Amino acid sequence: MKLLRRRLLHLAAGAVALPAVSRIAGAQNYPARPVRIIVGFSAGGPNDILARLIGEWLSERLGQPFIIENRPGAGSNLATEAIVRAPPDGYTLLLVGSPNAINATLYDKLNFNFVRDIVPIASFIRGALVMVVHPSVPAQTVPEFIAYAKANPGKLSYGSGGVGGITHITPELFKMMAGVNMVHVQYRGAPSALTDLLSGQVQAYFASTTVSIEHIRAGKLRALAVTTAKRSEALPDIPTVGDFLPGYEASAVFGVGAPKNTPPEIIDRLNNEINAALAAPRIRARLADLGTTVLAGSPADFGRLIAEETEKWGKVIRAANIKAD
């Protein structure tokens, strides 16, 4: 009887240990099939370009395709919800960034809690926006722009790629800190806003360097400042907004995340490979061409950054009374 009881206890212990052993074995063999990276925006945009750059690196290093899947809609909420519902096995990942931090406050009712339901893997970049104006605007510097806006309250307009997006709340932060009144003109995406800025239909735009830098270099747009705390390597002669409005900082941060309960061994492996990519000269050079700054770190570092961005933009959204469409 004692022998039988011992065998039963041994079998029970083995049964409990099996899932853990299975997870470890799965993590060691990861990836054994193609991995999807879900992007909450359309193909061809800066988010998509970034995801494809990192995806290509991971494909080369890990021997399996990392396929980019675009699921635009609701400011990236549709993509996020798809990841929240995906199996936590490392085969469905999410391009994570500022939109997720913004949406936590922008939307009253979401079917998920981003900080709770998505585990951070690694950050990629911190990207500057550029405060650009149409050449018809007489201001050559940020102080001149502020003075011109104050002398013409409500007569200047700025475009954005959509309500609550980074190109909307970044100028809203500028308005609050500079004490100016500008009219917001919403577009369906950055390309439309940029088109109307180039034609003079709107006077200002806080644009990503990815889409604006060639127009700046061609003299079609005038860059007044970048929004990050430090100057952009891609535009080293352009000052920061913070040089004139102390404490101002706004940037687009991006990385990758996974469903909660994804095995930590998979999280760590992906983090190591992504940090290796960010240290590689060809990846660093490409990211510099896009006007972004490499932002390597641990999963915990990325988690803290997302929490900080969520708190920061939440304050701006509530102060400006911004509501999702």
Side-chain angles (χ1 to χ4, degrees):
M1 182 63 72
K2 288 183 179 179
L3 181 61
L4 177 60
R5 187 169 177 271
R6 287 177 183 173
R7 286 183 176 178
L8 288 173
L9 289 173
H10 180 74
L11 289 172
V16 170
L18 271 176
V21 172
S22 178
R23 284 196 300 269
I24 293 170
Q28 289 174 342
N29 295 328
Y30 175 86
R33 63 179 190 270
V35 178
R36 293 183 302 155
I37 302 177
I38 308 298
V39 179
F41 298 90
S42 300
N47 306 321
D48 179 70
I49 292 170
L50 178 62
R52 292 180 189 280
L53 180 65
I54 297 298
E56 288 173 6
W57 171 273
L58 292 173
S59 296
E60 293 170 5
R61 296 274 290 196
L62 297 178
Q64 289 287 345
F66 278 69
I67 301 164
I68 308 306
E69 183 176 318
N70 301 92
R71 290 197 188 183
S76 79
N77 285 330
L78 295 182
T80 302
E81 186 166 354
I83 298 300
V84 169
R85 297 177 183 278
D89 55 10
Y91 288 94
T92 310
L93 309 177
L94 176 69
L95 182 73
V96 172
S98 297
N100 303 107
I102 293 166
N103 291 347
T105 304
L106 183 65
Y107 290 83
D108 293 331
K109 295 181 180 180
L110 292 172
N111 295 324
F112 55 85
N113 180 307
F114 184 78
V115 173
R116 180 195 65 203
D117 295 333
I118 298 295
V119 59
I121 294 175
S123 53
F124 296 160
I125 57 100
R126 182 184 291 279
L129 299 182
V130 189
M131 182 182 178
V132 287
V133 296
H134 188 266
S136 63
V137 176
Q140 301 290 323
T141 65
V142 170
E144 289 179 4
F145 182 89
I146 293 172
Y148 183 72
K150 287 183 175 180
N152 298 273
K155 294 184 179 179
L156 285 175
S157 61
Y158 75 90
S160 83
V163 170
I166 193 73
T167 58
H168 178 201
I169 62 174
T170 296
E172 285 296 323
L173 178 61
F174 176 84
K175 284 171 58 179
M176 283 189 274
M177 293 185 67
V180 298
N181 179 17
M182 296 189 294
V183 177
H184 173 221
V185 181
Q186 175 191 355
Y187 293 89
R188 286 188 173 276
S192 299
L194 187 64
T195 297
D196 268 14
L197 177 67
L198 289 165
S199 66
Q201 297 299 309
V202 293
Q203 289 75 51
Y205 183 38
F206 284 61
S208 73
T209 52
T210 308
V211 301
S212 62
I213 196 165
E214 293 305 321
H215 298 297
I216 294 168
R217 289 169 175 166
K220 296 178 180 179
L221 297 174
R222 184 184 306 129
L224 300 186
V226 295
T227 61
T228 40
K230 297 181 180 179
R231 295 193 180 199
S232 168
E233 293 182 12
L235 296 166
D237 297 329
I238 305 301
T240 71
V241 175
D243 289 339
F244 312 105
L245 291 176
Y248 183 97
E249 193 282 333
S251 54
V253 297
F254 283 98
V256 68
K260 68 177 180 180
N261 298 325
T262 297
E265 297 85 1
I266 290 176
I267 299 295
D268 290 341
R269 183 167 193 192
L270 287 170
N271 178 269
N272 290 336
E273 292 296 346
I274 289 168
N275 283 331
L278 299 178
R282 74 175 169 90
I283 299 293
R284 293 181 71 91
R286 179 62 178 134
L287 291 173
D289 287 342
L290 295 173
T292 64
T293 301
V294 166
L295 192 63
S298 68
D301 292 334
F302 191 31
R304 282 190 293 269
L305 177 60
I306 290 296
E308 291 167 2
E309 291 288 293
T310 300
E311 181 181 3
K312 172 182 178 176
W313 293 123
K315 291 177 180 178
V316 175
I317 290 165
R318 288 188 289 267
N321 195 31
I322 299 171
K323 302 292 184 182
D325 287 346

